Amino acid sequence: MNLSTQVKHLVKKELLLEWRSKYALNGVLLYVVSTVFVCFLSFVSIEIITWNALFWIIMLFASINAVSKSFLQESKGRHLYIYTIASPIALIISKTVYNVLLMLVLTIIALSFHMVVFGRVPQDLPMYLLATLLGSLSFSTIFTMISAIASKAGNGGMLMAILGFPVIIPVLVVLIKLTKNAIDGLDRSVSWDEVGMLLVINVLVMAVSLLLFPYLWRD
Amino acid sequence: MYKNWWKILGALLVIYSTIAGFLSDVPMLPILHESIRNLYFHVPMWFGMIVLFSVSVYHSIKFLSNSNPEHDLKAVESVNVGVVYGILGIVTGAIWAKFTWGQAWSFDVKQNFAAIALLLYFAYLVLRNAIDEEQKRAKISAIYNIFAFPMMVVLLFVLPRLSDSLHPGNGGNPGFNSYDLDSRMRAIFYPACLGWILVGYWIYTILYRVRSLEKNNNI
Amino acid sequence: MKKISVTFLMLMLTLQLFAQNGDSSLTESVYATGKIYVVVACIVLILFGLLFFLFTIEKRLKKLEEKSSAKN
C-alpha cells in the first residue's frame, strides 16, 4: 500500500471510531459549552477584549483535551498492531488530519456558541473566523506531536501540559494579536503578517513532526 | 575538547572585555548613561545561551542518527549550562530594566519570550526526569529538544521583530547599528560575545566529563 | 502697592525658574553617577551565578571522588 491509501484508511478508521463512541467530540463539546455558560453566568456583561481572551483560554484547554486523546487513549496493543501494518509517516499524517478535522468542527461550534451566548460579534467576522481556523490548525498540529511524545514518555496528562504550553504560547501570542485586529476591525492589510507567520509556524511544525515521528514510533 | 588554547582565548577575551568595558569611552545616551556598558555583559549571556542550545540540538540529532549515549549526555549538559546562562541573562536584564525602563519586568516582548524559551528548556529537563528507562529517555528527550528548537528560534528572533519592544532593533526602535554601537563598542562587544561563548562551552565540557564519569562509575 | 505686587509676582516667576533649575540639577546629580552601579551589580550577579554553578559542579565531583575512593 502506498502512503496516500494508508493515510486514507487510517483517517477513516479514526473517524469511524470517533463516530461509534462520539466520546471525544461530545466530551469536549460538553466542556466548551459548560465553560462558556459558567463564564456567562459569572460575567454577564463583558468587555470585548475579555471576551476574546476567554475564547482563547477555552479553546486552548478544549484542544488539549481533544487532541491528547489521539495517542494517550489507545492501548499498547493497538499501537503495536498499527505499527506492523502502517508506516509511521502515514500514521502521524492521519492523526494530524483527523485532529485538524475534529478541531475545526469544535472551533466553529464553540465560536458560534460563544458569540450567541455573549451576544457579541467581532467587527471583521471573516478575518476572525480565519484566525480561529488557523488557530485550530496550529493547535492540532502542535498538540498531536506533543501528545505522541507524552504518550511514549509514559505518564500522560500532566506531561502533556508541561511540554505543550511553552510551545503553544508563541502561537497564542500571534493569534491573540490577529484576533484583536479583527475585533477592532482594522484594515486587513495589517493582519497578513500574522497570518503568514502562523502558516510558517504550521509548516515548520509539520515538517519537524514528519521528520521526527518515525524515530519516536520505533521502539 | 581536551586542547587548551581556546579556553585561554576565552578567558583572555572575557578579561579584556571586562577591563575595556569599564575603562573605554562610551557614547553618552540620554537614559542609558554609563549603563550602556551592560551591553558587554548582558547580551553575551544570550548569545552564549543560544550557542549552547544549538550545540544541544546538534547532539540530539547525532543521537537520533547513531543512538550513541555519549551524545545524549552532551545534549543534556549543554542544556544545563545554557539554562544557567539564560537565567543570568534574564536577571541581569531585569536589573538593567529596573534602572532604565523603571520596572524590573516591563512586559517587553523580548523579556517575555526569553522567559518562555527558558520554560521550554525547563520542560525538557522535566521530561527527562519523568522517564526512568535510560535509552527511552535519551530518545524521547532528543525528539522533544529538536521539536522545541525551531519554536525557540521563532520566539527569540522572529516574533519580537513583529511587535513593539523597548529593546533596540525591534518594532519602531532603531537598531544598535544606527546610533550607539559605534566602532569602538563593536571592538569590545564582539570579543565579549566570543569570550563568553567559549567560557560557556568550557563549562559544558567539564560538566560532560563529570557526567560521563558518573555514568561509568555506576555501571 | 501695585509696584510691590508686580515685583512680588516677578519674584515668584523667578522663583519658579530657580525651582526648575534646582530640580534639573538634582536629577543631574542623581544621574551623575551615570548608573555605573547597574553595570557593577550585573557583573557581580553574573560572577555570583557562575561561582554558585561551580559549587554545584564540585559537589558532583566530590560524590564521584567518594565513590571511586570507596572502590579502591
Side-chain angles (χ1 to χ4, degrees):
Chain A
M1 266 200 292
N2 61 349
L3 196 67
S4 60
T5 44
Q6 278 190 5
V7 170
K8 217 164 64 191
H9 280 289
L10 282 170
V11 171
K12 210 188 267 172
K13 166 222 140 203
E14 294 280 347
L15 288 177
L16 205 66
L17 275 181
E18 179 55 41
W19 187 248
R20 272 193 208 140
S21 66
K22 299 194 190 65
Y23 173 61
L25 195 65
N26 281 349
V28 176
L29 264 186
L30 191 66
Y31 168 79
V32 168
V33 168
S34 53
T35 324
V36 171
F37 203 62
V38 168
C39 287
F40 176 69
L41 287 180
S42 45
F43 281 112
V44 185
S45 81
I46 192 171
E47 291 277 324
I48 191 90
I49 291 185
T50 328
W51 180 84
N52 190 22
L54 266 181
F55 178 69
W56 283 116
I57 292 171
I58 292 168
M59 280 320 293
L60 176 64
F61 284 95
S63 66
I64 280 194
N65 280 330
V67 177
S68 69
K69 288 201 172 61
S70 61
F71 279 98
L72 297 175
Q73 188 188 30
E74 293 183 331
S75 63
K76 269 241 150 67
R78 195 190 281 169
H79 275 172
L80 204 64
Y81 176 61
I82 295 170
Y83 180 75
T84 53
I85 56 167
S87 80
I89 293 190
L91 182 67
I92 186 75
I93 293 176
S94 67
K95 288 268 185 197
T96 312
V97 167
Y98 162 70
N99 280 328
V100 168
L101 291 177
L102 180 71
M103 281 303 298
L104 286 182
V105 172
L106 244 165
T107 309
I108 289 171
I109 295 174
L111 181 63
S112 45
F113 190 70
H114 200 55
M115 284 195 296
V116 167
V117 168
F118 283 102
R120 283 188 174 268
V121 178
Q123 282 190 26
D124 191 350
L125 190 59
M127 197 68 203
Y128 197 90
L129 209 62
L130 176 68
T132 49
L133 294 185
L134 276 174
S136 63
L137 184 69
S138 20
F139 280 164
S140 37
T141 51
I142 290 175
F143 282 138
T144 309
M145 186 62 187
I146 296 278
S147 89
I149 293 176
S151 84
K152 279 285 169 187
N155 48 351
M158 194 61 200
L159 208 54
M160 170 97 190
I162 293 173
L163 299 182
F165 280 136
V167 182
I168 207 75
I169 287 173
V171 177
L172 265 180
V173 169
V174 181
L175 276 175
I176 285 173
K177 207 169 167 212
L178 183 58
T179 46
K180 208 170 157 298
N181 286 351
I183 282 175
D184 296 338
L186 294 186
D187 191 57
R188 286 190 190 165
S189 59
V190 184
S191 312
W192 293 127
D193 253 9
E194 272 85 25
V195 173
M197 185 77 216
L198 280 174
L199 286 176
V200 166
I201 289 180
N202 269 308
V203 169
L204 209 69
V205 167
M206 264 326 280
V208 176
S209 322
L210 284 182
L211 280 177
L212 291 178
F213 189 74
Y215 291 102
L216 187 67
W217 193 234
R218 191 178 60 202
D219 262 328
Chain B
M1 193 185 275
Y2 297 101
K3 285 199 178 97
N4 278 328
W5 63 269
W6 57 268
K7 296 168 192 166
I8 297 168
L9 176 70
L12 284 179
L13 284 178
V14 166
I15 292 169
Y16 156 73
S17 71
T18 313
I19 295 173
F22 269 110
L23 297 182
S24 71
D25 286 331
V26 286
M28 277 297 143
L29 296 171
I31 305 170
L32 289 165
H33 299 278
E34 295 278 356
S35 78
I36 194 171
R37 294 176 197 276
N38 248 349
L39 180 76
Y40 309 133
F41 307 103
H42 162 71
V43 185
M45 290 291 132
W46 294 116
F47 280 86
M49 180 190 89
I50 286 157
V51 167
L52 285 162
F53 286 164
S54 313
V55 168
S56 160
V57 168
Y58 169 75
H59 285 297
S60 285
I61 292 170
K62 272 262 172 176
F63 176 81
L64 284 187
S65 67
N66 63 9
S67 61
N68 182 353
E70 210 176 81
H71 291 299
D72 179 51
L73 300 185
K74 283 181 182 172
V76 65
E77 289 305 352
S78 56
V79 164
N80 275 341
V81 184
V83 163
V84 169
Y85 262 52
I87 291 172
L88 288 177
I90 227 167
V91 179
T92 53
I95 295 174
W96 197 3
K98 172 82 189 152
F99 292 100
T100 48
W101 302 337
Q103 269 175 306
W105 199 268
S106 30
F107 290 94
D108 179 67
V109 271
K110 271 206 171 172
Q111 272 184 324
N112 287 341
F113 288 163
I116 296 166
L118 273 183
L119 218 62
L120 213 62
Y121 281 91
F122 282 138
Y124 170 78
L125 295 175
V126 168
L127 177 66
R128 289 191 70 89
N129 287 334
I131 311 169
D132 291 327
E133 204 182 314
E134 209 163 290
Q135 193 70 21
K136 199 173 158 191
R137 171 172 65 196
K139 194 180 71 180
I140 292 174
S141 56
I143 286 167
Y144 184 70
N145 194 6
I146 301 169
F147 187 69
F149 189 70
M151 273 303 172
M152 194 199 70
V153 171
V154 168
L155 260 176
L156 290 181
F157 296 106
V158 186
L159 283 186
R161 311 229 176 275
L162 286 182
S163 38
D164 302 321
S165 167
L166 296 164
H167 279 88
N170 298 126
N173 295 0
F176 270 127
N177 303 333
S178 58
Y179 63 110
D180 46 11
L181 197 63
D182 57 10
S183 54
R184 266 171 315 163
M185 290 191 74
R186 257 172 234 270
I188 304 168
F189 175 62
Y190 292 142
C193 287
L194 186 62
W196 282 107
I197 288 170
L198 286 178
V199 168
Y201 195 80
W202 185 6
I203 301 176
Y204 143 67
T205 56
I206 291 172
L207 271 180
Y208 162 66
R209 279 143 75 178
V210 170
R211 165 79 58 128
S212 61
L213 271 183
E214 274 172 357
K215 196 167 173 252
N216 288 340
N217 266 21
N218 278 340
I219 295 165
Chain C
M1 189 59 203
K2 206 176 174 186
K3 250 180 195 167
I4 293 172
S5 65
V6 166
T7 35
F8 191 69
L9 234 136
M10 286 311 212
L11 250 173
M12 289 287 276
L13 265 176
T14 51
L15 208 67
Q16 204 185 7
L17 275 177
F18 276 134
Q20 226 163 31
N21 240 344
D23 199 35
S24 75
S25 76
L26 187 72
T27 47
E28 272 306 299
S29 72
V30 168
Y31 285 133
T33 54
K35 300 188 179 180
I36 192 74
Y37 289 111
V38 179
V39 188
V40 174
C42 284
I43 291 171
V44 168
L45 211 128
I46 289 174
L47 283 181
F48 193 77
L50 288 182
L51 288 176
F52 180 75
F53 196 38
L54 210 59
F55 268 109
T56 60
I57 298 174
E58 179 171 337
K59 216 159 66 185
R60 281 169 70 174
L61 204 60
K62 211 176 257 172
K63 252 184 215 160
L64 218 66
E65 278 172 345
E66 275 164 16
K67 235 179 213 170
S68 68
S69 70
K71 246 186 202 169
N72 293 336

